[in-house]
Amino acid sequence: MQTAFTPRQLKDPGIAEAAAILKDCVHYGFCTAVCPTWVLLRDENDGPRGRIDLIKAMLETEGRPDAKTVRHIDQCLSCNACMTTCAAKVDYLHLADVARIHIERHFKRPLPDRALRALIAAVVPNAGRFRRAMTMAGLARPFARVLPGRLGDLIRIAPRRLPPASPIGPGIYPAEGERRMRVALLAGCAQQALAPHVNEATVRLLTRHGCEVVIAQTPCCGALTLHMGKERRALAAARASVEAWSAIAADGGLDAVVVNASGCGTTVKDYGHLLRGDALGERAAQISALARDVSEVLFEIGLNEPDTIRPLTVAYHDACSLQHAQLITAPPRALLQTAGYRVVDVPEKHFCCGSAGTYNMLQPQIAGDLGARKARHIESTGAAAVAAGNLGCLTQIGLHSALPAVHTVELLDWATGGPMPPALEGVAIPDPQDADMANAAEAGGDGPVGIW
Amino acid sequence: MTMASEAAFEAFFRDVGEAIGADNLDRSTETLTRYGENTMPAGDRRPTGVVFPGSTDEVSIVVRLANKHGVPLYPTSTGFNQGLGTRSAPAAGMAVIDLGKRMNRILEVDETMGYAAVEPGVSFQAMADELQRRGGQWMVSTTTGPPQGGMLGNAMDKGAGYGPYFDHFGFSCGMEVVLGTGEVIRTGDGSIDHDVGELFNWHVSKYSFGPILDGLFAQSNYGIVTRLGIWLLPRPPAIRSFHFTFPDDDDLEAIIDLCRPLKLTNFVPTLFRVSNDLYLIASEETHPDYAATGGKAAISDEARKALQNKHGLGSWTVSGAFFGPSMEAIEPQIKRVQDHFGASGKATYIDHTDALAMPPLKCAIDAFSGVPTTQELGMLKWRPGGGNAWFTPGTPMDGKTANEFQKLGRAIYEANGLDYTIMNVCGPRFARGLHVLTFNREDPDESARAAAAYTELADAFAARGVHVGRSPIDFYGYHMEKAMPAFREACEAIKRALDPRGVIAPGKYGIG
């Protein structure tokens, strides 16, 4: 696509980056058909191709972005389904980042919007504040209906009960047996408050598989604020994380930075890009190169023989950040199968569940529609539980489905000696012998519709 | 047909809005721009409006109004006719009927008889998702084009997959069609005058009383198909692929002769994908010399060889698959084809597991398995600028002829500074040669060279008595001119009978 930026505009690194990305777009439109918001709203401007044109016009035209453009970009989930479909390999992820930062700098949102965004940006990335806010939301739940606008929505999607605070915190957790790797684990922000058992399972699982796990005192990875266009805060978070992990690497070495929330993992893997040109740029690139989803690390190490086979049927939900941004789809399934679970895919698996970082707080209507749609598909599989590698997805699915939603690492931990995931309490676990008989019948190749 | 006046268009859209709702009509600038976009050398073709009917009755109403006002209609299903026109009409100024927006329902899935009945907007991905939701006992034959491409539109345009049910028109059964007059007919056993209860055999029996009208509606010249029965294949417990790669361009002769007996006996249930190096590699790479040559030269043999070595693929790669009760049970068949291709002395075997880790071969495995995939779309960025057109002649499954056609095609590509990119999709007696022309549409010179290459290919193959299966919108008339006059007149006579005012897609494939 031809662009019309002036030489002066192109001196702005953000504009220069956007100009290079925009040139790749040739309007094939494959992206549009897989875009969840386009599928729901059927508006060209609510698909990537339309948004790319809007971003181009917004950046080319100096001055205040128009409200229509801002609305359509705000409605983008950044699920990146468009990127895995795009034949021209348009880097929509970074184009959207540039657009959001531009909007944040040049567009004055109505006061309630600004207040909400400021509240989210101040609270959610901070585990302590988030935990206190969730406690207050629990107290305010009876009044959610009478609270104004989005505040009521926020309280409605807050969890009804908070689990107890976790003993897992900054420190070194030694490997069991021979040390095979030394890894840093991103403790995360919201996850520490909402689901501390995920980090507990991760530490047990990694140490059991020969990893020495180091948890540093790091802030939020910066993903949440970056996706809200708050570049300064995102960069500060990224710098702090890079410094913390670089210090660990310098003091004892580091084989990987392990992330168990794939939304965060996508951002950590992008630190090299985010901090390019920064004084920490080189170190950021090194950290990005070390960043791995927990499933990648375990797949590489190889899962221990499961203690007990529990042939639970698990619907595996591909978090967008794993399947579309990090392109990780096979390792989690393979690990779950090795652990003895029967893994089924979810229809329409390329589609976002509506969580998308802060999206379900900022765009509750679309997020709700997507969440309900995803829940219907998950339940249609007949699985006993749903697994995913991103807490945001699990929380969102839990709002729309009664099916137990567990992190992949919880299931792997359980299979290799850890406790049963809390969400599975009360779920009937199939007898391995019955499952063997069913598998034997299946292996014969005969089914209700075909003889092989 | 003669293009209607501006006043006639205005009256048409006003009446359509009143009949099916103004919300189901879009004439905004950005929409018209989008619907005119394509990847062809001759440029975009902007329509005058887009109509979104929600049912067969509404399609009938729109067609009757088009007759009343003399307005040309251009129906699209999901609009992903990639390399052949996308969803653009052959000429600017038509009214588009977009059947994909509201008519995207899977009307029926019969899991006993193994068929589905679909509206035009149902995509391969949607059907694959639905079959999975139902327990995964059935599979759909899918293309390696866009997963969001429409099953009905692909079948009507004689598209194909790669498994036993590859012939998408051939494995369709029973249509509902709005004729050019607005009349609605059902074909096959559905044609019985029976509006109460089930039409038991509509989607299970292709040949009923009366002439077999279905073929008339392939290419969508004489009516708008609003419902189609599509047969489904029971999903086997195991699908195991095999791949052989050959080093030299002229190995095609031996390859075709090796494939033929395996298909004549149906020993191999899938079609063979016989792809050249660039067809597979282009999805993973961009033209390495493009900047240096300004896109004016075809890729050099040295650069091709370097890419082959990088990807572990030769000049040609053959892919096929077996179906069976388990991966182990398929082992004897795998051994048999290994011996068969190995006898050539030039084949290097790539097994299923290794192929899964090679994206271009994983794409073939997905295609054999009824799994929609986007992998192959990556070849469109081989050159920048988004230009793409497909030339689709064919060859008998005779090695010598196929190799002669290879030399012919390759020379024309190279003479025009373009990169020979082809997959021969091989059945027992015939292989469709999917020639991909990728070019920089933003470069007028390169665009003109692509158009020239296309017409030179069309002329050269026609001179050897070879027609094409489908055609890009730029060349509809060009190809029809190559048909014998009596055939052309027969096509026009049918058009006059079923669409007397010529409102359905005038000019499509050179008819009307």
Side-chain angles (χ1 to χ4, degrees), chain A residues 105-178:
Chain A
R105 283 182 189 156
H106 300 285
F107 182 75
K108 190 168 183 183
R109 295 177 184 276
L111 183 61
D113 272 8
R114 271 184 283 149
L116 179 71
R117 284 170 170 264
L119 180 71
I120 291 171
V123 171
V124 181
N126 182 301
R129 278 185 217 149
F130 189 57
R131 191 171 175 85
R132 289 192 289 279
M134 289 301 98
T135 306
M136 287 164 64
L139 297 172
R141 181 177 293 278
F143 313 106
R145 285 189 181 191
V146 296
L147 287 170
R150 303 268 188 83
L151 199 55
D153 292 333
L154 282 184
I155 286 168
R156 271 191 288 275
I157 65 173
R160 290 180 178 276
R161 276 183 308 150
L162 270 186
S166 172
I168 294 285
I172 297 176
Y173 300 84
E176 290 178 19
E178 185 190 349

Side-chain angles (χ1 to χ4, degrees), chain B residues 90-168:
Chain B
M94 295 191 190
V96 171
I97 301 189
D98 182 339
L99 301 160
K101 180 175 178 179
R102 296 173 65 213
M103 297 182 71
N104 54 16
R105 289 160 287 215
I106 297 171
L107 299 167
E108 189 182 354
V109 176
D110 187 317
E111 294 195 79
T112 306
M113 292 299 117
Y115 71 81
V118 299
E119 289 187 325
V122 175
S123 67
F124 290 102
Q125 184 69 58
M127 181 55 76
D129 284 337
E130 175 62 13
L131 295 179
Q132 188 182 328
R133 192 187 67 77
R134 288 168 172 266
Q137 298 279 350
W138 297 92
M139 63 189 263
V140 61
S141 172
T142 181
T143 71
T144 44
Q148 311 305 330
M151 298 177 74
L152 186 152
N154 183 264
M156 299 319 300
D157 218 33
K158 299 175 289 189
Y162 300 93
Y165 286 20
F166 72 93
D167 175 0
H168 292 170

Side-chain angles (χ1 to χ4, degrees), chain A residues 116-452:
Chain A
L116 179 71
R117 284 170 170 264
L119 180 71
I120 291 171
V123 171
V124 181
N126 182 301
R129 278 185 217 149
F130 189 57
R131 191 171 175 85
R132 289 192 289 279
M134 289 301 98
T135 306
M136 287 164 64
L139 297 172
R141 181 177 293 278
F143 313 106
R145 285 189 181 191
V146 296
L147 287 170
R150 303 268 188 83
L151 199 55
D153 292 333
L154 282 184
I155 286 168
R156 271 191 288 275
I157 65 173
R160 290 180 178 276
R161 276 183 308 150
L162 270 186
S166 172
I168 294 285
I172 297 176
Y173 300 84
E176 290 178 19
E178 185 190 349
R179 191 179 94 175
R180 298 160 75 183
M181 291 179 94
R182 185 169 193 257
V183 303
L185 175 66
L186 170 65
C189 45
Q191 182 167 284
Q192 288 193 69
L194 291 173
H197 48 275
V198 173
N199 279 354
E200 291 167 19
T202 305
V203 170
R204 281 193 301 267
L205 188 61
L206 288 171
T207 53
R208 189 180 304 130
H209 285 79
C211 295
E212 179 178 288
V213 180
V214 186
I215 298 181
Q217 187 76 53
T218 52
C220 162
C221 67
L224 295 173
T225 43
L226 180 66
H227 292 165
M228 294 167 75
K230 297 181 183 299
E231 186 186 31
R232 191 179 51 78
R233 286 187 189 217
L235 291 176
R239 286 191 192 102
S241 298
V242 167
E243 285 183 330
W245 289 323
S246 297
I248 294 171
D251 180 20
L254 205 50
D255 297 307
V257 173
V258 176
V259 186
N260 61 10
S262 59
C264 309
T266 302
T267 299
V268 176
K269 286 183 174 181
D270 203 38
Y271 276 176
H273 178 270
L274 196 61
L275 293 174
R276 69 196 185 289
D278 190 276
L280 282 175
E282 198 175 323
R283 279 197 272 165
Q286 289 165 354
I287 293 300
S288 287
L290 285 172
R292 314 283 293 280
D293 184 72
V294 62
S295 65
E296 289 181 282
V297 171
L298 286 163
F299 188 70
E300 185 184 315
I301 293 173
L303 198 71
N304 291 349
E305 196 71 25
D307 284 0
T308 309
I309 294 290
R310 300 182 184 93
L312 198 71
T313 300
V314 176
Y316 179 74
H317 162 72
D318 291 277
C320 293
S321 42
L322 271 186
Q323 68 170 329
H324 296 308
Q326 300 183 51
L327 308 180
I328 297 170
T329 54
R333 288 176 169 82
L335 288 165
L336 289 168
Q337 282 165 346
T338 304
Y341 302 106
R342 184 170 173 268
V343 181
V344 293
D345 281 345
V346 178
E348 215 174 66
K349 63 186 177 189
H350 60 288
F351 234 57
C352 180
C353 65
S355 168
T358 56
Y359 192 90
N360 60 355
M361 297 177 232
L362 295 168
Q363 302 285 342
Q365 180 64 49
I366 297 172
D369 290 348
L370 290 172
R373 185 175 176 129
K374 181 62 73 180
R376 278 198 303 275
H377 281 311
I378 290 170
E379 289 171 358
S380 78
T381 65
V386 55
N390 191 42
L391 182 73
C393 304
L394 295 172
T395 307
Q396 169 77 351
I397 291 165
L399 291 171
H400 298 278
S401 171
L403 208 63
V406 290
H407 196 291
T408 307
V409 295
E410 293 182 80
L411 289 173
L412 301 180
D413 176 45
W414 186 31
T416 55
M420 173 187 268
L424 292 182
E425 297 285 349
V427 172
I429 309 300
D431 188 308
Q433 280 186 330
D434 294 345
D436 284 347
M437 287 170 66
N439 289 341
E442 227 170 69
D446 295 349
V449 304
I451 305 291
W452 300 95

Side-chain angles (χ1 to χ4, degrees), chain B residues 390-477:
Chain B
W390 292 59
F391 174 62
T392 58
T395 172
M397 282 295 288
D398 167 63
K400 200 168 175 193
T401 309
N403 204 36
E404 182 200 335
F405 287 176
Q406 178 215 179
K407 290 176 179 171
L408 181 69
R410 191 183 292 277
I412 293 171
Y413 270 72
E414 289 176 0
N416 286 284
L418 298 170
D419 314 303
Y420 186 62
T421 308
I422 181 175
M423 176 166 64
N424 292 293
V425 188
C426 305
R429 297 172 182 82
F430 175 77
R432 179 68 68 197
L434 304 177
H435 293 63
V436 188
L437 283 155
T438 308
F439 58 95
N440 186 346
R441 195 168 177 253
E442 293 170 355
D443 178 341
D445 169 65
E446 197 169 321
S447 213
R449 281 188 280 120
Y454 189 95
T455 51
E456 287 171 30
L457 286 163
D459 290 345
F461 277 78
R464 282 160 175 76
V466 175
H467 225 329
V468 292
R470 302 160 80 179
S471 161
I473 52 173
D474 285 17
F475 307 103
Y476 281 164

Side-chain angles (χ1 to χ4, degrees), chain B residues 204-244:
Chain B
V204 296
S205 166
K206 289 172 75 76
Y207 309 133
S208 184
F209 183 79
I212 303 163
L213 296 184
D214 303 60
L216 291 176
F217 302 105
Q219 296 192 169
S220 308
N221 289 110
Y222 306 128
I224 299 173
V225 179
T226 54
R227 171 185 174 125
L228 183 68
I230 290 176
W231 290 345
L232 306 169
L233 178 69
R235 176 173 286 287
I239 297 174
R240 185 165 164 185
S241 68
F242 57 85
H243 313 261
F244 298 94

Side-chain angles (χ1 to χ4, degrees), chain B residues 87-415:
Chain B
R87 62 182 169 186
S88 167
M94 295 191 190
V96 171
I97 301 189
D98 182 339
L99 301 160
K101 180 175 178 179
R102 296 173 65 213
M103 297 182 71
N104 54 16
R105 289 160 287 215
I106 297 171
L107 299 167
E108 189 182 354
V109 176
D110 187 317
E111 294 195 79
T112 306
M113 292 299 117
Y115 71 81
V118 299
E119 289 187 325
V122 175
S123 67
F124 290 102
Q125 184 69 58
M127 181 55 76
D129 284 337
E130 175 62 13
L131 295 179
Q132 188 182 328
R133 192 187 67 77
R134 288 168 172 266
Q137 298 279 350
W138 297 92
M139 63 189 263
V140 61
S141 172
T142 181
T143 71
T144 44
Q148 311 305 330
M151 298 177 74
L152 186 152
N154 183 264
M156 299 319 300
D157 218 33
K158 299 175 289 189
Y162 300 93
Y165 286 20
F166 72 93
D167 175 0
H168 292 170
F169 186 81
F171 280 84
S172 71
C173 181
M175 300 173 172
E176 181 175 68
V177 191
V178 178
L179 300 178
T181 56
E183 287 292 323
V184 178
I185 66 166
R186 294 185 299 261
T187 65
D189 246 57
S191 64
I192 192 167
D193 191 8
H194 174 80
D195 286 332
V196 182
E198 276 186 90
L199 288 162
F200 285 105
N201 293 328
W202 190 12
H203 299 307
V204 296
S205 166
K206 289 172 75 76
Y207 309 133
S208 184
F209 183 79
I212 303 163
L213 296 184
D214 303 60
L216 291 176
F217 302 105
Q219 296 192 169
S220 308
N221 289 110
Y222 306 128
I224 299 173
V225 179
T226 54
R227 171 185 174 125
L228 183 68
I230 290 176
W231 290 345
L232 306 169
L233 178 69
R235 176 173 286 287
I239 297 174
R240 185 165 164 185
S241 68
F242 57 85
H243 313 261
F244 298 94
T245 197
F246 289 73
D248 300 318
D249 292 344
D250 286 343
D251 288 338
L252 183 64
E253 180 173 341
I255 292 168
I256 295 294
D257 289 336
L258 286 165
C259 290
R260 187 182 58 249
L262 294 170
K263 281 307 303 174
L264 283 168
T265 54
N266 217 18
F267 182 76
V268 174
T270 64
L271 298 185
F272 284 109
R273 289 164 56 100
V274 178
S275 310
N276 85 332
D277 44 12
L278 293 189
Y279 192 96
L280 298 178
I281 293 168
S283 56
E284 302 294 298
E285 300 279 352
T286 54
H287 187 321
D289 307 326
Y290 191 86
T293 64
K296 293 191 187 309
I299 183 173
S300 64
D301 285 346
E302 295 73 32
R304 272 177 63 209
K305 197 53 77 180
L307 287 175
Q308 289 176 11
N309 292 337
K310 177 179 173 187
H311 290 273
L313 296 167
S315 285
W316 295 99
T317 302
V318 183
S319 296
F322 290 109
F323 295 175
S326 68
M327 297 303 253
E328 296 74 24
I330 298 171
E331 183 63 30
Q333 288 100 306
I334 294 285
K335 182 73 175 61
R336 184 76 183 81
V337 290
Q338 272 186 277
D339 292 345
H340 182 72
F341 280 97
S344 70
K346 296 192 79 173
T348 300
Y349 175 58
I350 301 170
D351 76 11
H352 179 80
T353 307
D354 290 342
L356 282 170
M358 301 169 73
L361 302 188
K362 166 73 163 51
C363 174
I365 295 170
D366 285 341
F368 297 139
S369 310
V371 176
T373 168
T374 57
Q375 196 278 337
E376 207 164 275
L377 300 178
M379 72 165 69
L380 303 179
K381 52 107 186 66
W382 170 252
R383 286 177 177 238
N388 180 233
W390 292 59
F391 174 62
T392 58
T395 172
M397 282 295 288
D398 167 63
K400 200 168 175 193
T401 309
N403 204 36
E404 182 200 335
F405 287 176
Q406 178 215 179
K407 290 176 179 171
L408 181 69
R410 191 183 292 277
I412 293 171
Y413 270 72
E414 289 176 0

